[in-house]
Amino acid sequence: MRKLLFIIPLILLFSCAEKKNDTFYSTKKNIKVLVNGKQTDWSISPKVNPDRLNVYCTNEKNEVIFQTDTDTVSFMLSNNDTTKFKIILNSVDTAYTEIVGIKELPNKITDEEKLYWLSQTWSETKYNFVNVDQLTFDLDSLYKELIPEVLASKNDYEYYRILRKFTASLKDGHTQVSDRGQFYAFTDYIPITLQDFNEKIYITHVRKNVSLDSTWLGAELIEIEAIPTVDYLEKNVFPYISASTEQHLWMQSVYKIQSGFKNKLFKGTIRKVDGTIEKIELKRNGEATRTPNDEYWGVPRNFSRSIVDLDWTDNNIAVISFNRFTPQDKAIKEFDEIARKIGKAKGVVIDLRKNGGGSTGVAWHLQKYLTKGNSFLNYAWETRINDGVRKANGNWKDEYKDYYLNQALRFEKPKVINVSDTLKRIKCPTTILVGRYTFSAAEDFLVNIFEVPGRPKIIGEETGGSTGSPLVVRGLPGGGYARICTRRICYPISKKRFVNSGVKPDIEVKQTIDDYLNGRDVVLERAIEEIKK
Protein backbone atom coordinates (compact mmCIF):
# COMPACT_ATOMS: atom_id res chain seq x y z
CA MET A 1 0.00 0.00 0.00
CA ARG A 2 2.85 2.40 0.78
CA LYS A 3 4.34 1.83 -2.70
CA LEU A 4 1.00 2.66 -4.32
CA LEU A 5 0.63 5.90 -2.34
CA PHE A 6 4.19 6.87 -3.33
CA ILE A 7 3.66 6.28 -7.08
CA ILE A 8 0.41 8.24 -7.49
CA PRO A 9 1.84 11.64 -6.40
CA LEU A 10 4.75 11.18 -8.83
CA ILE A 11 2.35 10.65 -11.75
CA LEU A 12 0.34 13.72 -10.80
CA LEU A 13 3.49 15.82 -10.53
CA PHE A 14 4.67 14.68 -13.99
CA SER A 15 1.25 15.45 -15.50
CA CYS A 16 1.26 18.97 -14.08
CA ALA A 17 4.80 19.56 -15.23
CA GLU A 18 3.90 18.45 -18.76
CA LYS A 19 1.01 20.94 -18.93
CA LYS A 20 3.29 23.82 -17.95
CA ASN A 21 5.81 23.02 -20.67
CA ASP A 22 4.68 24.93 -23.74
CA THR A 23 7.91 24.73 -25.73
CA PHE A 24 9.08 21.80 -27.85
CA TYR A 25 11.94 21.29 -30.26
CA SER A 26 12.54 19.89 -33.74
CA THR A 27 15.40 19.76 -36.22
CA LYS A 28 13.04 18.91 -39.12
CA LYS A 29 10.28 21.01 -40.65
CA ASN A 30 7.98 18.05 -41.35
CA ILE A 31 6.62 16.26 -38.29
CA LYS A 32 3.96 13.66 -37.47
CA VAL A 33 0.55 14.44 -36.04
CA LEU A 34 -1.79 11.69 -34.85
CA VAL A 35 -5.46 12.35 -34.21
CA ASN A 36 -7.20 9.45 -32.47
CA GLY A 37 -4.40 7.22 -33.77
CA LYS A 38 -4.69 8.35 -37.41
CA GLN A 39 -1.45 9.85 -38.70
CA THR A 40 -1.27 12.96 -40.83
CA ASP A 41 1.66 15.16 -41.85
CA TRP A 42 2.31 18.66 -40.57
CA SER A 43 4.82 21.20 -41.77
CA ILE A 44 6.17 23.68 -39.20
CA SER A 45 5.72 27.26 -40.47
CA PRO A 46 7.51 29.83 -38.29
CA LYS A 47 6.53 32.63 -40.69
CA VAL A 48 2.82 32.03 -40.03
CA ASN A 49 1.52 33.34 -36.71
CA PRO A 50 -0.39 31.55 -35.41
CA ASP A 51 0.67 28.34 -37.14
CA ARG A 52 -2.80 26.82 -36.84
CA LEU A 53 -4.05 23.27 -37.31
CA ASN A 54 -7.80 22.67 -37.25
CA VAL A 55 -8.70 19.23 -35.87
CA TYR A 56 -12.13 17.84 -36.70
CA CYS A 57 -13.58 16.39 -33.50
CA THR A 58 -15.30 13.13 -34.33
CA ASN A 59 -15.50 12.24 -30.62
CA GLU A 60 -16.32 14.21 -27.50
CA LYS A 61 -12.67 13.85 -26.44
CA ASN A 62 -9.98 13.43 -29.12
CA GLU A 63 -6.36 12.46 -28.52
CA VAL A 64 -3.87 14.60 -30.44
CA ILE A 65 -0.16 13.72 -30.52
CA PHE A 66 2.55 15.97 -32.00
CA GLN A 67 5.78 14.06 -32.62
CA THR A 68 9.00 15.74 -33.75
CA ASP A 69 12.37 14.05 -34.12
CA THR A 70 13.26 15.13 -30.58
CA ASP A 71 10.00 15.73 -28.66
CA THR A 72 6.48 14.38 -28.25
CA VAL A 73 3.46 16.18 -26.83
CA SER A 74 -0.03 14.73 -26.40
CA PHE A 75 -3.28 16.22 -25.20
CA MET A 76 -7.04 15.75 -25.37
CA LEU A 77 -9.08 18.11 -27.54
CA SER A 78 -12.81 18.80 -27.75
CA ASN A 79 -14.91 21.00 -30.01
CA ASN A 80 -14.01 24.70 -29.59
CA ASP A 81 -10.90 23.86 -27.54
CA THR A 82 -7.66 25.67 -28.34
CA THR A 83 -4.22 24.43 -27.32
CA LYS A 84 -1.18 26.68 -27.81
CA PHE A 85 2.53 25.89 -27.67
CA LYS A 86 5.81 26.82 -29.34
CA ILE A 87 7.98 24.64 -31.56
CA ILE A 88 11.61 25.72 -31.85
CA LEU A 89 12.94 24.71 -35.28
CA ASN A 90 16.71 24.08 -35.48
CA SER A 91 17.19 26.12 -32.27
CA VAL A 92 16.57 29.30 -34.29
CA ASP A 93 13.00 29.77 -35.60
CA THR A 94 9.91 29.73 -33.41
CA ALA A 95 6.58 28.47 -34.67
CA TYR A 96 3.70 29.70 -32.50
CA THR A 97 1.49 26.68 -32.92
CA GLU A 98 -2.24 26.64 -32.26
CA ILE A 99 -4.45 23.54 -32.35
CA VAL A 100 -8.18 24.21 -32.59
CA GLY A 101 -10.96 21.65 -32.13
CA ILE A 102 -13.77 22.12 -34.65
CA LYS A 103 -17.10 20.45 -35.42
CA GLU A 104 -19.34 23.12 -36.97
CA LEU A 105 -18.54 25.19 -40.05
CA PRO A 106 -17.16 28.61 -39.07
CA ASN A 107 -19.30 31.73 -39.38
CA LYS A 108 -16.72 34.46 -38.81
CA ILE A 109 -16.86 36.57 -41.97
CA THR A 110 -18.62 39.87 -41.31
CA ASP A 111 -21.16 41.43 -43.68
CA GLU A 112 -18.67 44.19 -44.44
CA GLU A 113 -16.03 41.63 -45.44
CA LYS A 114 -18.54 39.66 -47.49
CA LEU A 115 -19.52 42.72 -49.49
CA TYR A 116 -15.96 44.05 -49.82
CA TRP A 117 -14.40 40.87 -51.21
CA LEU A 118 -17.26 40.22 -53.63
CA SER A 119 -16.82 43.81 -54.82
CA GLN A 120 -13.06 43.47 -55.06
CA THR A 121 -13.33 40.29 -57.13
CA TRP A 122 -15.95 41.87 -59.40
CA SER A 123 -13.88 45.05 -59.83
CA GLU A 124 -10.67 43.24 -60.78
CA THR A 125 -12.68 41.08 -63.17
CA LYS A 126 -14.38 44.06 -64.79
CA TYR A 127 -11.13 45.85 -65.55
CA ASN A 128 -8.61 43.02 -66.01
CA PHE A 129 -10.33 39.78 -67.09
CA VAL A 130 -9.07 39.28 -70.63
CA ASN A 131 -12.04 37.29 -71.95
CA VAL A 132 -14.61 39.92 -70.97
CA ASP A 133 -15.48 40.23 -74.67
CA GLN A 134 -16.57 36.57 -74.66
CA LEU A 135 -19.19 36.96 -71.90
CA THR A 136 -22.82 36.38 -72.88
CA PHE A 137 -24.26 38.16 -69.81
CA ASP A 138 -23.91 41.53 -68.11
CA LEU A 139 -21.17 41.37 -65.47
CA ASP A 140 -22.57 44.24 -63.39
CA SER A 141 -26.00 42.60 -63.26
CA LEU A 142 -24.47 39.38 -61.94
CA TYR A 143 -22.57 41.35 -59.29
CA LYS A 144 -25.76 43.08 -58.10
CA GLU A 145 -27.61 39.75 -58.12
CA LEU A 146 -25.05 38.16 -55.81
CA ILE A 147 -24.96 40.96 -53.20
CA PRO A 148 -28.05 39.73 -51.29
CA GLU A 149 -26.84 36.14 -51.66
CA VAL A 150 -23.47 36.75 -49.99
CA LEU A 151 -25.10 38.77 -47.22
CA ALA A 152 -27.54 35.91 -46.59
CA SER A 153 -24.84 33.19 -46.57
CA LYS A 154 -25.15 31.14 -43.38
CA ASN A 155 -21.46 30.41 -42.87
CA ASP A 156 -18.00 30.97 -44.33
CA TYR A 157 -18.23 27.88 -46.55
CA GLU A 158 -21.45 29.10 -48.18
CA TYR A 159 -19.88 32.53 -48.75
CA TYR A 160 -16.91 31.04 -50.58
CA ARG A 161 -19.27 28.88 -52.60
CA ILE A 162 -21.06 32.01 -53.86
CA LEU A 163 -17.74 33.63 -54.78
CA ARG A 164 -16.87 30.49 -56.73
CA LYS A 165 -20.20 30.74 -58.55
CA PHE A 166 -19.25 34.27 -59.63
CA THR A 167 -15.89 33.26 -61.12
CA ALA A 168 -17.25 29.99 -62.55
CA SER A 169 -19.76 32.01 -64.60
CA LEU A 170 -16.78 33.50 -66.51
CA LYS A 171 -16.00 30.04 -67.93
CA ASP A 172 -12.22 30.31 -67.71
CA GLY A 173 -9.92 27.69 -66.23
CA HIS A 174 -7.45 30.30 -64.93
CA THR A 175 -10.08 32.42 -63.18
CA GLN A 176 -11.32 31.09 -59.87
CA VAL A 177 -11.65 31.60 -56.12
CA SER A 178 -9.79 29.41 -53.63
CA ASP A 179 -10.45 29.11 -49.89
CA ARG A 180 -6.91 27.67 -49.52
CA GLY A 181 -8.12 24.53 -47.81
CA GLN A 182 -9.66 26.16 -44.74
CA PHE A 183 -12.57 23.68 -44.87
CA TYR A 184 -10.51 20.52 -45.52
CA ALA A 185 -10.81 19.44 -41.91
CA PHE A 186 -14.57 19.05 -42.37
CA THR A 187 -14.29 16.88 -45.48
CA ASP A 188 -13.18 13.44 -46.58
CA TYR A 189 -13.56 11.28 -49.68
CA ILE A 190 -15.33 8.03 -50.50
CA PRO A 191 -13.23 4.82 -50.61
CA ILE A 192 -13.94 4.22 -54.30
CA THR A 193 -12.68 6.02 -57.42
CA LEU A 194 -14.96 7.54 -60.03
CA GLN A 195 -13.94 8.45 -63.56
CA ASP A 196 -15.88 9.75 -66.53
CA PHE A 197 -15.84 8.35 -70.05
CA ASN A 198 -17.90 10.03 -72.78
CA GLU A 199 -19.83 12.07 -70.18
CA LYS A 200 -20.79 9.05 -68.12
CA ILE A 201 -19.34 8.28 -64.69
CA TYR A 202 -18.04 4.83 -63.75
CA ILE A 203 -16.51 3.17 -60.70
CA THR A 204 -12.92 2.30 -61.63
CA HIS A 205 -11.42 1.32 -58.26
CA VAL A 206 -12.92 -0.12 -55.09
CA ARG A 207 -10.97 -0.37 -51.85
CA LYS A 208 -10.98 -3.94 -50.57
CA ASN A 209 -13.15 -3.62 -47.51
CA VAL A 210 -15.76 -5.82 -45.83
CA SER A 211 -18.49 -3.24 -46.53
CA LEU A 212 -17.64 -2.71 -50.21
CA ASP A 213 -18.39 -4.95 -53.17
CA SER A 214 -16.03 -6.01 -55.95
CA THR A 215 -18.99 -6.27 -58.35
CA TRP A 216 -19.23 -2.46 -58.26
CA LEU A 217 -16.14 -2.30 -60.46
CA GLY A 218 -17.09 -0.92 -63.88
CA ALA A 219 -20.57 0.08 -62.72
CA GLU A 220 -22.08 3.29 -64.10
CA LEU A 221 -23.24 5.91 -61.60
CA ILE A 222 -26.72 6.72 -62.90
CA GLU A 223 -28.08 8.74 -59.94
CA ILE A 224 -26.77 10.91 -57.12
CA GLU A 225 -29.14 11.73 -54.26
CA ALA A 226 -31.96 10.11 -56.31
CA ILE A 227 -31.37 12.62 -59.14
CA PRO A 228 -30.09 11.51 -62.58
CA THR A 229 -26.32 12.04 -62.55
CA VAL A 230 -26.11 14.67 -65.30
CA ASP A 231 -29.02 16.63 -63.80
CA TYR A 232 -27.35 16.54 -60.40
CA LEU A 233 -24.07 17.83 -61.84
CA GLU A 234 -25.77 20.61 -63.80
CA LYS A 235 -27.61 21.83 -60.70
CA ASN A 236 -25.16 21.25 -57.84
CA VAL A 237 -21.64 21.03 -59.27
CA PHE A 238 -21.13 22.66 -62.68
CA PRO A 239 -22.21 26.17 -61.55
CA TYR A 240 -19.29 26.28 -59.09
CA ILE A 241 -16.49 24.95 -61.33
CA SER A 242 -14.21 27.30 -63.28
CA ALA A 243 -13.57 25.69 -66.64
CA SER A 244 -13.00 26.83 -70.22
CA THR A 245 -14.23 23.63 -71.90
CA GLU A 246 -16.69 20.79 -71.33
CA GLN A 247 -13.91 18.24 -70.92
CA HIS A 248 -12.21 20.30 -68.20
CA LEU A 249 -15.57 20.90 -66.51
CA TRP A 250 -16.33 17.18 -66.36
CA MET A 251 -12.85 16.25 -65.19
CA GLN A 252 -13.04 18.64 -62.22
CA SER A 253 -16.65 17.84 -61.37
CA VAL A 254 -16.09 14.10 -61.09
CA TYR A 255 -13.20 14.80 -58.72
CA LYS A 256 -15.39 17.16 -56.64
CA ILE A 257 -18.29 14.76 -56.07
CA GLN A 258 -15.98 12.19 -54.50
CA SER A 259 -15.25 14.52 -51.58
CA GLY A 260 -17.72 16.08 -49.18
CA PHE A 261 -18.57 16.71 -45.57
CA LYS A 262 -17.64 13.86 -43.24
CA ASN A 263 -21.06 13.83 -41.63
CA LYS A 264 -22.91 13.39 -44.94
CA LEU A 265 -23.23 10.04 -46.69
CA PHE A 266 -22.63 9.66 -50.41
CA LYS A 267 -25.86 8.23 -51.82
CA GLY A 268 -26.06 6.95 -55.36
CA THR A 269 -27.57 4.45 -57.72
CA ILE A 270 -25.36 2.31 -59.96
CA ARG A 271 -25.91 0.05 -62.94
CA LYS A 272 -23.48 -2.84 -62.61
CA VAL A 273 -21.74 -4.58 -65.47
CA ASP A 274 -24.32 -7.39 -65.42
CA GLY A 275 -27.13 -4.82 -65.78
CA THR A 276 -28.49 -5.00 -62.25
CA ILE A 277 -29.39 -1.76 -60.47
CA GLU A 278 -28.19 -1.17 -56.91
CA LYS A 279 -28.43 1.73 -54.48
CA ILE A 280 -25.25 2.49 -52.55
CA GLU A 281 -24.52 4.51 -49.43
CA LEU A 282 -20.89 5.29 -48.59
CA LYS A 283 -19.32 7.04 -45.66
CA ARG A 284 -16.89 9.79 -46.57
CA ASN A 285 -14.03 8.24 -44.62
CA GLY A 286 -11.49 7.38 -47.30
CA GLU A 287 -8.67 9.32 -45.66
CA ALA A 288 -9.73 8.52 -42.10
CA THR A 289 -9.57 4.76 -42.82
CA ARG A 290 -6.63 4.77 -45.25
CA THR A 291 -3.59 2.61 -44.43
CA PRO A 292 -0.27 2.08 -46.23
CA ASN A 293 -1.33 -1.49 -47.00
CA ASP A 294 -4.66 -0.74 -48.66
CA GLU A 295 -5.52 -2.88 -51.69
CA TYR A 296 -8.03 -2.14 -54.43
CA TRP A 297 -10.13 -3.98 -56.95
CA GLY A 298 -9.33 -2.50 -60.34
CA VAL A 299 -6.37 -1.80 -62.59
CA PRO A 300 -3.24 -0.89 -60.55
CA ARG A 301 -2.70 2.87 -60.58
CA ASN A 302 0.66 4.42 -61.34
CA PHE A 303 1.19 7.76 -59.63
CA SER A 304 4.58 9.11 -60.61
CA ARG A 305 6.16 11.83 -58.48
CA SER A 306 8.86 12.38 -61.08
CA ILE A 307 8.86 15.39 -63.37
CA VAL A 308 9.95 13.25 -66.31
CA ASP A 309 9.77 9.45 -66.71
CA LEU A 310 11.42 7.32 -69.38
CA ASP A 311 10.16 3.91 -70.51
CA TRP A 312 10.98 1.73 -73.52
CA THR A 313 8.76 -0.42 -75.69
CA ASP A 314 9.89 -3.82 -77.00
CA ASN A 315 10.70 -2.31 -80.41
CA ASN A 316 13.08 0.32 -78.97
CA ILE A 317 10.69 3.25 -78.94
CA ALA A 318 11.30 5.69 -76.08
CA VAL A 319 8.22 6.83 -74.18
CA ILE A 320 8.92 10.09 -72.33
CA SER A 321 6.22 11.10 -69.87
CA PHE A 322 6.70 14.81 -69.19
CA ASN A 323 4.41 15.06 -66.15
CA ARG A 324 4.77 18.76 -65.35
CA PHE A 325 6.71 21.86 -66.37
CA THR A 326 7.72 22.94 -62.85
CA PRO A 327 10.00 23.82 -61.17
CA GLN A 328 11.64 25.26 -64.28
CA ASP A 329 15.34 24.61 -63.66
CA LYS A 330 14.77 21.09 -62.35
CA ALA A 331 12.36 20.18 -65.16
CA ILE A 332 14.83 21.35 -67.82
CA LYS A 333 17.70 19.48 -66.17
CA GLU A 334 15.72 16.22 -65.88
CA PHE A 335 14.57 16.36 -69.49
CA ASP A 336 18.12 17.04 -70.69
CA GLU A 337 19.32 13.96 -68.81
CA ILE A 338 16.67 11.78 -70.45
CA ALA A 339 17.31 13.28 -73.89
CA ARG A 340 20.91 12.08 -73.64
CA LYS A 341 19.67 8.51 -73.12
CA ILE A 342 17.50 8.23 -76.25
CA GLY A 343 20.13 8.67 -78.96
CA LYS A 344 19.58 5.16 -80.31
CA ALA A 345 15.79 5.18 -80.13
CA LYS A 346 13.88 4.20 -83.28
CA GLY A 347 11.10 6.57 -82.27
CA VAL A 348 10.02 8.85 -79.43
CA VAL A 349 6.62 9.33 -77.80
CA ILE A 350 6.29 12.51 -75.71
CA ASP A 351 3.37 11.96 -73.33
CA LEU A 352 1.80 15.18 -72.01
CA ARG A 353 -1.51 13.62 -70.93
CA LYS A 354 -0.85 14.21 -67.22
CA ASN A 355 0.90 17.55 -67.65
CA GLY A 356 -1.08 20.28 -65.90
CA GLY A 357 1.42 23.01 -66.76
CA GLY A 358 4.05 25.02 -64.94
CA SER A 359 6.61 27.27 -66.63
CA THR A 360 6.40 28.43 -70.24
CA GLY A 361 10.20 28.41 -70.19
CA VAL A 362 10.10 24.63 -69.95
CA ALA A 363 7.66 24.54 -72.87
CA TRP A 364 10.16 26.51 -74.95
CA HIS A 365 12.94 24.14 -73.94
CA LEU A 366 10.98 21.09 -75.06
CA GLN A 367 10.15 22.74 -78.37
CA LYS A 368 13.84 23.46 -79.01
CA TYR A 369 14.48 19.69 -79.17
CA LEU A 370 11.80 19.37 -81.88
CA THR A 371 12.75 22.44 -83.94
CA LYS A 372 14.64 21.91 -87.18
CA GLY A 373 15.80 25.51 -87.62
CA ASN A 374 17.67 27.86 -85.31
CA SER A 375 14.54 29.62 -83.97
CA PHE A 376 10.78 29.45 -83.59
CA LEU A 377 7.95 31.81 -82.72
CA ASN A 378 6.38 32.02 -79.28
CA TYR A 379 2.65 32.71 -79.12
CA ALA A 380 1.21 36.20 -79.65
CA TRP A 381 -1.03 37.50 -76.88
CA GLU A 382 -3.65 40.04 -75.85
CA THR A 383 -4.40 41.85 -72.60
CA ARG A 384 -6.81 44.56 -71.42
CA ILE A 385 -6.11 48.32 -71.62
CA ASN A 386 -7.66 50.79 -69.15
CA ASP A 387 -7.27 54.40 -70.26
CA GLY A 388 -9.37 57.04 -68.50
CA VAL A 389 -9.11 59.76 -71.13
CA ARG A 390 -9.92 57.47 -74.04
CA LYS A 391 -12.80 56.00 -72.08
CA ALA A 392 -14.14 59.52 -71.51
CA ASN A 393 -13.94 60.21 -75.24
CA GLY A 394 -15.45 56.84 -76.07
CA ASN A 395 -19.01 57.98 -75.32
CA TRP A 396 -18.92 60.23 -78.40
CA LYS A 397 -16.00 59.04 -80.57
CA ASP A 398 -16.34 55.65 -82.27
CA GLU A 399 -12.56 55.16 -82.38
CA TYR A 400 -12.53 54.98 -78.56
CA LYS A 401 -15.74 53.03 -78.13
CA ASP A 402 -13.92 49.88 -76.91
CA TYR A 403 -12.42 51.90 -74.07
CA TYR A 404 -15.86 53.20 -73.09
CA LEU A 405 -17.23 49.63 -73.10
CA ASN A 406 -14.22 48.33 -71.09
CA GLN A 407 -13.22 46.05 -73.98
CA ALA A 408 -10.04 47.67 -75.29
CA LEU A 409 -7.17 45.23 -75.89
CA ARG A 410 -3.44 45.44 -76.53
CA PHE A 411 -1.94 42.93 -78.96
CA GLU A 412 1.63 41.70 -78.53
CA LYS A 413 3.33 40.16 -81.56
CA PRO A 414 5.01 36.74 -81.37
CA LYS A 415 8.48 36.67 -79.85
CA VAL A 416 11.35 34.86 -81.57
CA ILE A 417 12.92 32.09 -79.45
CA ASN A 418 16.43 31.18 -80.53
CA VAL A 419 17.80 27.63 -80.45
CA SER A 420 21.46 26.91 -79.82
CA ASP A 421 23.37 25.13 -82.59
CA THR A 422 24.95 22.88 -79.96
CA LEU A 423 21.64 21.38 -78.83
CA LYS A 424 21.29 17.81 -80.04
CA ARG A 425 17.75 17.65 -81.46
CA ILE A 426 15.35 14.72 -81.49
CA LYS A 427 15.41 13.62 -85.13
CA CYS A 428 13.77 10.19 -85.08
CA PRO A 429 10.01 9.78 -85.72
CA THR A 430 8.13 11.45 -82.84
CA THR A 431 4.53 11.70 -81.67
CA ILE A 432 2.95 13.80 -78.91
CA LEU A 433 0.17 12.47 -76.67
CA VAL A 434 -2.40 14.85 -75.20
CA GLY A 435 -5.65 14.73 -73.25
CA ARG A 436 -7.98 16.79 -71.11
CA TYR A 437 -5.48 16.88 -68.24
CA THR A 438 -3.02 18.64 -70.57
CA PHE A 439 -3.31 22.21 -69.40
CA SER A 440 -1.81 25.69 -69.06
CA ALA A 441 1.92 25.86 -69.92
CA ALA A 442 1.69 22.43 -71.60
CA GLU A 443 -0.86 24.04 -73.93
CA ASP A 444 1.55 26.95 -74.50
CA PHE A 445 3.91 24.38 -76.00
CA LEU A 446 1.16 22.90 -78.18
CA VAL A 447 -0.09 26.29 -79.41
CA ASN A 448 3.48 27.25 -80.35
CA ILE A 449 4.19 24.08 -82.29
CA PHE A 450 0.73 23.41 -83.74
CA GLU A 451 1.11 25.45 -86.95
CA VAL A 452 4.75 24.56 -87.59
CA PRO A 453 5.17 22.53 -90.82
CA GLY A 454 6.50 19.01 -90.34
CA ARG A 455 5.88 18.92 -86.58
CA PRO A 456 5.20 15.61 -84.77
CA LYS A 457 1.66 14.28 -84.94
CA ILE A 458 -0.54 15.04 -81.94
CA ILE A 459 -2.61 12.07 -80.78
CA GLY A 460 -5.26 11.64 -78.09
CA GLU A 461 -8.09 13.89 -76.89
CA GLU A 462 -8.69 17.64 -76.93
CA THR A 463 -6.75 19.39 -74.17
CA GLY A 464 -8.16 21.24 -71.15
CA GLY A 465 -8.31 24.57 -72.98
CA SER A 466 -6.92 27.21 -70.64
CA THR A 467 -3.70 29.13 -70.20
CA GLY A 468 -2.78 32.70 -69.31
CA SER A 469 -1.27 34.96 -66.66
CA PRO A 470 -3.56 35.09 -63.61
CA LEU A 471 -3.75 38.23 -61.49
CA VAL A 472 -3.85 37.00 -57.88
CA VAL A 473 -6.14 38.91 -55.51
CA ARG A 474 -4.89 38.07 -52.02
CA GLY A 475 -6.35 38.65 -48.59
CA LEU A 476 -9.75 37.00 -48.83
CA PRO A 477 -11.13 35.94 -45.41
CA GLY A 478 -9.27 33.04 -43.84
CA GLY A 479 -6.35 33.33 -46.25
CA GLY A 480 -8.23 32.70 -49.49
CA TYR A 481 -7.55 34.34 -52.84
CA ALA A 482 -9.00 34.95 -56.28
CA ARG A 483 -7.28 34.55 -59.66
CA ILE A 484 -8.23 36.58 -62.72
CA CYS A 485 -6.83 35.59 -66.13
CA THR A 486 -5.20 38.63 -67.76
CA ARG A 487 -3.54 37.17 -70.86
CA ARG A 488 -5.12 35.50 -73.89
CA ILE A 489 -2.64 33.75 -76.12
CA CYS A 490 -2.89 33.46 -79.91
CA TYR A 491 -1.39 30.95 -82.31
CA PRO A 492 1.92 32.50 -83.47
CA ILE A 493 1.43 32.13 -87.23
CA SER A 494 -2.31 32.57 -87.84
CA LYS A 495 -2.83 34.83 -84.76
CA LYS A 496 -5.99 32.82 -84.05
CA ARG A 497 -7.13 33.26 -80.45
CA PHE A 498 -6.78 30.30 -78.11
CA VAL A 499 -10.15 30.57 -76.35
CA ASN A 500 -13.25 28.44 -75.73
CA SER A 501 -11.57 25.20 -76.84
CA GLY A 502 -8.49 23.12 -76.23
CA VAL A 503 -5.83 22.03 -78.71
CA LYS A 504 -7.41 19.41 -80.94
CA PRO A 505 -5.28 16.38 -81.85
CA ASP A 506 -4.47 15.36 -85.41
CA ILE A 507 -5.65 11.86 -84.58
CA GLU A 508 -8.41 11.63 -81.99
CA VAL A 509 -8.26 8.48 -79.86
CA LYS A 510 -10.49 8.13 -76.79
CA GLN A 511 -10.13 5.50 -74.12
CA THR A 512 -13.36 3.70 -73.20
CA ILE A 513 -14.30 2.28 -69.82
CA ASP A 514 -13.63 -1.21 -71.18
CA ASP A 515 -10.16 -0.16 -72.37
CA TYR A 516 -9.42 1.24 -68.93
CA LEU A 517 -10.60 -1.79 -66.97
CA ASN A 518 -8.62 -4.08 -69.28
CA GLY A 519 -5.46 -2.03 -68.83
CA ARG A 520 -5.31 -0.97 -72.50
CA ASP A 521 -3.67 2.33 -73.35
CA VAL A 522 -5.20 2.76 -76.80
CA VAL A 523 -3.70 6.25 -77.22
CA LEU A 524 -0.16 4.98 -76.73
CA GLU A 525 -0.87 2.00 -78.97
CA ARG A 526 -1.94 4.32 -81.79
CA ALA A 527 1.14 6.50 -81.29
CA ILE A 528 3.42 3.49 -81.67
CA GLU A 529 1.54 2.44 -84.82
CA GLU A 530 2.16 5.89 -86.32
CA ILE A 531 5.87 5.71 -85.51
CA LYS A 532 6.15 2.27 -87.13
CA LYS A 533 4.67 3.69 -90.34
Side-chain angles (χ1 to χ4, degrees), residues 191 206-214 285 289 294-295 297:
V206 179
R207 187 182 292 177
K208 292 184 178 180
N209 184 298
V210 291
S211 62
L212 304 180
D213 189 342
S214 63
N285 61 358
T289 59
D294 283 339
E295 295 182 351
W297 288 297

Side-chain angles (χ1 to χ4, degrees), residues 2 52 93 152 167 203 206 244 246 280-281 356 381 401 423 486 496 507:
R2 288 181 181 177
R52 182 181 292 119
D93 298 319
T167 53
I203 298 175
V206 179
S244 306
E246 282 293 309
I280 61 174
E281 288 190 359
W381 55 276
K401 188 175 182 180
L423 184 70
T486 63
K496 175 186 173 183
I507 303 173

Side-chain angles (χ1 to χ4, degrees), residues 266-330:
F266 177 88
K267 298 181 180 181
T269 305
I270 60 174
R271 180 187 294 113
K272 296 197 288 187
V273 175
D274 64 3
T276 57
I277 306 296
E278 182 178 336
K279 293 188 179 297
I280 61 174
E281 288 190 359
L282 299 173
K283 291 183 179 179
R284 301 183 191 271
N285 61 358
E287 182 61 27
T289 59
R290 181 178 61 85
T291 72
N293 300 318
D294 283 339
E295 295 182 351
Y296 290 81
W297 288 297
V299 179
R301 290 175 288 186
N302 179 25
F303 293 109
S304 175
R305 296 184 180 274
S306 302
I307 298 175
V308 192
D309 290 308
L310 174 63
D311 197 9
W312 292 89
T313 68
D314 293 338
N315 38 20
N316 205 29
I317 294 174
V319 180
I320 303 174
S321 299
F322 214 149
N323 301 314
R324 63 183 186 274
F325 285 169
T326 184
Q328 178 171 314
D329 291 344
K330 188 176 181 181

Side-chain angles (χ1 to χ4, degrees), residues 125-194:
T125 300
K126 182 171 182 176
Y127 295 107
N128 294 298
F129 178 55
V130 70
N131 291 324
V132 69
D133 57 353
Q134 304 292 310
L135 299 181
T136 57
F137 60 91
D138 182 71
L139 190 65
D140 293 348
S141 297
L142 176 62
Y143 165 63
K144 289 186 286 186
E145 178 185 316
L146 293 181
I147 289 175
E149 286 193 35
V150 297
L151 293 176
S153 56
K154 296 179 181 178
N155 51 55
D156 298 354
Y157 175 82
E158 279 194 13
Y159 174 69
Y160 264 99
R161 187 168 164 84
I162 295 168
L163 290 186
R164 280 196 290 270
K165 182 167 72 172
F166 174 79
T167 53
S169 67
L170 305 174
K171 298 189 183 304
D172 180 79
H174 277 66
T175 302
Q176 67 269 109
V177 166
S178 170
D179 57 49
R180 292 204 61 174
Q182 55 189 285
F183 307 112
Y184 283 169
F186 298 92
T187 65
D188 203 338
Y189 53 88
I190 53 179
I192 64 174
T193 303
L194 302 174

Side-chain angles (χ1 to χ4, degrees), residues 399-415:
E399 61 194 284
Y400 299 128
K401 188 175 182 180
D402 283 346
Y403 291 91
Y404 183 72
L405 298 174
N406 295 314
Q407 292 184 354
L409 294 167
R410 183 177 91 243
F411 179 80
E412 291 289 332
K413 295 180 180 180
K415 176 182 177 181

Side-chain angles (χ1 to χ4, degrees), residues 16 37 50 228 269 335 350 375 392 445 505:
C16 293
T269 305
F335 186 80
I350 298 175
S375 67
F445 161 77

Side-chain angles (χ1 to χ4, degrees), residues 410-470:
R410 183 177 91 243
F411 179 80
E412 291 289 332
K413 295 180 180 180
K415 176 182 177 181
V416 175
I417 307 299
N418 295 314
V419 184
S420 171
D421 292 336
T422 61
L423 184 70
K424 188 175 181 180
R425 321 295 172 87
I426 298 175
K427 295 183 178 180
C428 59
T430 303
T431 57
I432 300 169
L433 308 188
V434 299
R436 55 192 172 153
Y437 296 97
T438 311
F439 198 65
S440 195
E443 292 180 293
D444 291 345
F445 161 77
L446 294 168
V447 167
N448 281 355
I449 203 171
F450 191 83
E451 297 176 331
V452 176
R455 61 156 171 81
K457 284 186 178 179
I458 300 172
I459 301 173
E461 298 183 57
E462 184 178 336
T463 62
S466 179
T467 186
S469 299

